[in-house]
Amino acid sequence: MKYKIKEYPEILEKVERMGVEELLKAVICPNFTLDKNRPDGNEVAAFIHPTTEETAKTELPLLNKDKKERTLIASDLEYGTGKMIKGTVGFPSLRAVAETGDDKLAYQMGVLTAKKALEVGYHWTFSPCVDILGNRRNPIVSIRTAGEDADTVLRFGGAYMRGMQD
């Protein structure tokens, strides 16, 4: 199995049939905010940046209303839902969690992030960041990833993913 999408068996079945290129075409899409634009059409994939919990709960279901094939709703939830869904709980970076040395915290972060994401209507997240930090001055990767070596990144990134999947 490529991915775990337990809550949506029909989406899992669709994803299992797709190759990587086809899958990427289905989930990578133009950025829009539900507060301002409501897309229409059957081939829309949604990458939602930031919105409110209330808006997500009321607007996201409309993207799949009367559709045979569900639109996959995705977002980048590396710090929990707090940055992308205003008013929900956010967490420190994965790097900060790795600094504690306790991968159970990364696991719990994944569990809580997935629960809230599912509650408001998200199907997918592009997280955690599993880049290996090669340059401490990198403004993008420096705190998004768990560390500078594969073992640390796999330990904490893996714990986060397992938490989300469980």
Side-chain angles (χ1 to χ4, degrees):
M1 178 183 342
K2 292 183 203 172
Y3 311 97
K4 289 185 178 181
I5 307 174
K6 294 190 250 185
E7 299 297 319
Y8 301 94
E10 71 278 8
I11 293 175
L12 177 59
E13 183 180 320
K14 179 180 179 179
V15 168
E16 288 288 340
R17 291 190 313 260
M18 298 172 130
V20 172
E21 186 174 329
E22 186 181 8
L23 181 61
L24 288 174
K25 286 179 182 176
V27 297
I28 305 297
C29 62
N31 183 16
F32 69 91
T33 302
L34 288 173
D35 300 313
K36 297 179 182 169
N37 303 304
R38 182 172 296 147
D40 35 353
N42 290 325
E43 298 304 318
V44 175
F47 186 78
I48 312 298
H49 264 335
T51 190
T52 64
E53 184 172 2
E54 181 180 329
T55 299
K57 284 180 175 179
T58 58
E59 297 286 327
L60 290 178
L62 299 176
L63 290 172
N64 284 314
K65 186 177 180 189
D66 302 323
K67 283 190 177 179
K68 182 180 175 189
E69 296 275 340
R70 281 182 182 254
T71 296
L72 299 178
I73 312 299
S75 192
D76 196 357
L77 304 176
E78 293 175 352
Y79 300 91
T81 56
K83 276 194 168 189
M84 298 304 161
I85 307 169
K86 296 174 189 170
T88 63
V89 174
F91 296 104
S93 68
L94 194 56
R95 180 64 179 250
V97 174
E99 290 294 323
T100 71
D102 186 355
D103 58 9
K104 292 180 190 89
L105 295 174
Y107 178 87
Q108 285 300 316
M109 190 166 103
V111 168
L112 296 171
T113 298
K115 282 182 180 182
K116 180 53 76 174
L118 284 170
E119 180 185 316
V120 301
Y122 287 71
H123 307 113
W124 201 305
T125 178
F126 302 113
S127 55
C129 175
V130 291
D131 294 348
I132 296 172
L133 181 61
N135 175 1
R136 286 180 168 264
R137 293 188 179 126
N138 183 315
I140 307 297
V141 180
S142 63
I143 64 169
R144 291 173 60 211
T145 187
E148 299 176 46
D149 62 273
D151 290 338
T152 300
V153 171
L154 289 171
R155 180 178 167 203
F156 287 89
Y160 186 93
M161 281 192 275
R162 282 188 305 280
M164 291 195 81
Q165 292 169 344
D166 288 350

